């Protein structure tokens, strides 16, 4: 059978990234001593030399089939990146894995166990000479209570769910639970799935004592990230689903040389 | 050219609804004396006799092209429903138009003019003997402040954006602005796009004085709808994006013989 | 602490369904002899008597925490429905679990193993006297090749990805893999994640030999469902993302007394 | 009333962008001699000095209210950017307007008039010394027919809807209809809303004669963009909703110094 992909292309244009997206496979991830199950969205890509017509996309899926049900780790990602390079004969390979991560928490007063979920993305890249880059993205839902509304009102203050999106570049992947804690600490309050009445009282009062604009949230997180030697690049966004408006408020801090 | 759609099908199964969806066309709608522009998503469908293979879908789009830039009205929908029946030679026709509706409001204290948007859907159906049914759906964003959180906490109360979805069946289409007002009145507070500081104070305190569970919101709206003779069927849902949780709270009241 | 939810409401309006949605928990599901992991979206609801103000929503999450990491089964759903009734003291309980299901397939010619994912929802309801209803929903992506385009063109035929949505009511849950096979058989072709060149040739030619309108797809599926004694109610929709249009085509067959 | 936003922040961290998003307002846009209506999503942002706590967000909405129902143009965007700077007292201002654009086409054989819609985003930025940057983004749905599937199969070839996303930086905004034409020319076929049988035959055969990988589509578009002096920066992506797979294929070409 003719190999159409291997034909020549004479436009002389290199393709930066070409591959497959939105593939789903079951995986695992270690959190502490416990393994948790993960249903990942996979994106895999490579660069393509200027003179070749196309890539053989089924090879990405064959590689994905081989790692099915295995555990996400630095070593596993390195292995995928290498195998992509070998099978597709390219200089650059990239893999993205998006999944839901579960954190087990204790409610603040009743001390009940509850589970909270966070959307994460792990990205690995391998360039020429097998240089490796690691990226990690997470969306952490938090609450924000408006400092202005609190200050000017006789009682109450508008508050709402907000979402922090943090993207970082690191040499080694950090512990996900550590990142979540750092982000939640800079909001008006972390979220729980269970809140008994004693907890709800605690959470409500804590939020009122801890007002934050979206500006405050991203500054707080940037203060940490900028001083964490393990993180070499970042962007942080907070988007607040204002309870008194139909539109949203947002703030962004970007590392000066951001290239994530 | 062969007319494949007109071939026979011998499985003896009538199709309840077949047509096209996700078509976009520009339209207008009258609100009071002012015409506002509308970019509608259109869905058009018909039933199909058990013995015919398929329908000619391009005819729906030809009909849509003819009403492009015209004004949504009861008469316009009747005309579309009739033309669908004529061109496709069927017993049942249906059209759905989804669009953003703008309401101009005054902010509560500073009396500034601001514009708030609402997602609406107008549905018309025409059955045998040209019986007509009209349905209307609207999503109204509001705020809810938790009565329990307020009662048990020394200060503050968690509040958040919530969405009311109301679907009604009527003989004639009601004024959209009237429906919005009725729904907003049953929430902890209506939403504005502009809030100067004096307005924010007002809105914050009003919300605190007006706590509502999702249960309260749907009951308040059902109280109105059940006693409004113009409305012959309904379902109302309130979904609250809880500021202290990652999950949402919802409540639904359905008319006993609901068939919307 | 005051129990605000237990206050009286004097509007005399029963709430049909009130609860929580969009909660995520890890679960398992048995497929044949193999257990597969599942990250489920959970919705849990109850009815509410006309004279009571609200429900205690944290109890739903406590029940969800207890079933975390367990295996979805008829018995497990019955247990959840009973526990909801006991803890919330109501007549009606409902649970919905939405998740991705994986089916392992052999590619048609090269016989490679590949994994395809399907979005499923399992719904259980328990009414007065503990009457049980089971509902199951699935979205099966397939391909459709246009019979008209094939017939009138000298070569080629437009084809595209389409989605079948089937909702059924059953006494006992059916095998998911059986439902998928039945649906895929009524399309122009089932989808694979891996296709080597010999497979791609096979799939392309099979699709060309097997043209289907959305009308054909829903009729084929309805033919099966209507004659399957295990299924007591259903609705089936096929939506085709037409490769030559920006809008989509759809067809729906609904069981006469549909109440899903 | 206290001005909380004007308080000092002592963390010494500049915020790159802070503002409001997801606001909807009605606008107009000129296409040729005809004005078309637009329902825009608006995002407006500014930078924030390191020593100030927050911005006054209601001022963005007041500016949006003033341009409501006006016509999108280079001049109008310049005016918005200036007014944001004046009212919020900052060095950097940014506005994004996302909207649906309609193009009127003639079907290829029957020469019927039909309307096709495209999602666009216009972005304006104003920096220190009032330097201006203009960005434009568009999503153009097209069809792709697989060159490999055509070559290896006795008859037929899999084809599908695909989406091209082009982001460009320009000195002056280009004509939208020109950009659409250029992109559609690099695909297997442009899309229409109406296709009578003679048109469907034409479109099917043209697509079969014009096979394209996602790699071909982005290379074709990049060939144009790289040689168009009016465009100073760009990124182009093509994502193909493969009719024989559940996953998608994508390709990206990025300008070397891409900073969009």
């Amino acid at each position: 059978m003719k190999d159409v992909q291997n034909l020549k292309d004479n436009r002389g244009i290199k393709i930066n990234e070409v591959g497959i997206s939105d593939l789903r496979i079951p995986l695992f991830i270690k959190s502490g001593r416990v393994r948790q199950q993960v249903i990942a969205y996979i994106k895999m890509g490579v660069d393509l030399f200027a003179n070749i017509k196309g890539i053989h996309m089924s090879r990405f899926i064959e590689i994905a089939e081989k790692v099915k049900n295995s555990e996400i780790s630095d070593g596993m990602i390195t292995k995928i990146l290498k195998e992509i390079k070998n099978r597709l004969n390219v200089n650059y390979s990239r893999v993205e894995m998006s999944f839901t991560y579960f954190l087990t928490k204790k409610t603040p007063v009743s001390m009940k166990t509850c589970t909270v979920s966070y959307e994460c993305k792990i990205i690995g890249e391998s360039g020429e000479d097998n240089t490796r880059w690691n990226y990690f993205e997470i969306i952490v839902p938090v609450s924000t209570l408006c400092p202005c509304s609190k200050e000017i009102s006789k009682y109450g203050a508008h508050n709402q769910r907000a979402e922090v999106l943090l993207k970082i570049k690191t040499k080694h992947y950090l512990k996900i639970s550590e990142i979540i804690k750092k982000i939640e600490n800079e909001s008006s309050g972390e979220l729980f799935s269970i809140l008994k009445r004693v907890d709800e009282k605690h959470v409500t009062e804590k939020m009122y004592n801890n007002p934050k604009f979206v500006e405050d949230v991203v500054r707080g997180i940037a203060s940490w990230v900028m001083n964490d030697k393990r993180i070499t690049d970042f962007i942080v966004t907070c988007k607040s689903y204002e309870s008194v408006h139909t539109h949203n408020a947002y703030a962004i801090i970007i590392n000066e040389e951001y290239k994530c």
Side-chain angles (χ1 to χ4, degrees), chain A:
Chain A
M1 270 181 186
K2 199 165 162 187
D3 188 345
V4 182
Q5 279 84 349
N6 256 338
L7 295 176
K8 295 293 170 207
D9 192 276
N10 53 22
R11 280 171 290 202
I13 300 176
K14 178 186 183 319
I15 293 182
N16 298 74
E17 193 183 327
V18 48
I20 61 96
S21 67
D22 306 290
L23 180 76
R24 305 211 76 182
I25 58 168
L27 293 167
F28 289 89
I29 195 163
K30 194 72 123 305
S31 71
R33 283 177 312 274
V34 185
R35 246 162 68 114
Q36 61 175 249
Q37 64 210 59
V38 152
I39 305 298
Y41 279 95
I42 301 292
K43 191 172 178 180
M44 286 168 146
V46 296
D47 61 349
L48 179 61
F49 298 114
N51 64 334
I52 300 179
K53 184 173 174 67
I55 59 160
H56 294 89
M57 296 206 177
S58 64
R59 295 177 191 172
F60 289 120
I61 322 293
E62 290 178 275
I63 294 166
E65 281 293 333
K66 278 170 70 177
V67 298
K68 191 182 147 183
N69 287 321
S70 70
E71 193 177 297
I72 300 174
S73 70
D74 201 70
M76 173 257 216
I77 289 169
T78 302
K79 223 181 95 188
I80 293 176
L81 291 170
K82 268 191 196 154
E83 191 155 354
I84 294 177
K85 279 185 167 178
N86 289 342
R87 296 271 333 254
L88 283 109
N89 199 22
V90 292
N91 284 332
Y92 167 81
S93 61
R94 176 186 180 89
V95 61
E96 302 188 12
M97 301 181 174
S98 306
F99 57 91
T100 300
Y101 180 85
F102 291 101
L103 189 64
T104 302
K105 296 184 170 187
K106 291 276 176 206
T107 59
V109 182
S110 70
M111 297 302 280
K112 285 192 171 276
T113 297
C114 74
T115 310
V116 181
S117 62
Y118 302 85
E119 295 309 309
C120 298
K121 191 188 285 187
I122 283 179
I123 303 168
E125 276 187 331
S126 171
E128 287 193 76
D129 313 317
N130 292 319
T131 335
R132 261 296 297 282
W133 299 273
N134 292 321
Y135 305 94
F136 178 75
E137 300 182 14
I138 190 165
I139 293 172
V140 177
V142 296
S143 65
T144 54
L145 185 137
C146 179
C148 173
S149 168
K150 176 184 172 181
E151 179 65 36
I152 63 182
S153 304
K154 266 191 296 200
Y155 35 76
H158 78 80
N159 54 74
Q160 53 269 318
R161 207 186 291 166
E163 281 183 350
V164 172
L165 168 62
L166 175 68
K167 301 188 191 186
I168 54 174
K169 184 176 179 179
T170 58
K171 193 140 186 71
H172 298 289
Y173 295 112
L174 308 190
K175 255 184 92 175
I176 297 179
S177 56
E178 183 197 343
I179 298 173
I180 293 169
K181 282 268 167 292
K182 296 273 196 193
I183 291 173
E184 290 180 340
N185 284 344
E186 300 303 329
S187 71
S188 294
E190 67 177 302
L191 306 195
F192 297 92
S193 52
I194 296 180
L195 287 177
K196 303 309 288 180
R197 262 176 293 166
V198 285
D199 304 309
E200 190 173 358
K201 174 181 162 57
H202 175 92
V203 161
T204 303
E205 293 168 359
K206 184 181 166 191
M207 188 159 64
Y208 191 79
N209 290 328
N210 207 20
K212 300 265 187 189
F213 287 131
V214 287
E215 291 94 325
D216 294 312
V217 176
V218 291
R219 273 179 171 143
I221 296 165
S223 293
W224 152 52
V225 171
M226 285 167 165
N227 291 301
D228 191 319
K229 296 266 159 56
R230 300 168 299 173
I231 299 173
T232 57
D233 202 358
F234 78 97
I235 179 169
V236 58
T237 303
C238 182
K239 185 172 185 174
S240 177
Y241 299 93
E242 303 288 286
S243 70
V244 294
H245 292 303
T246 43
H247 60 263
N248 304 312
Y250 76 97
I252 307 175
I253 294 176
I254 312 175
N255 187 37
E256 220 140 295
E257 323 203 329
Y258 179 67
K259 287 270 185 196
C260 280

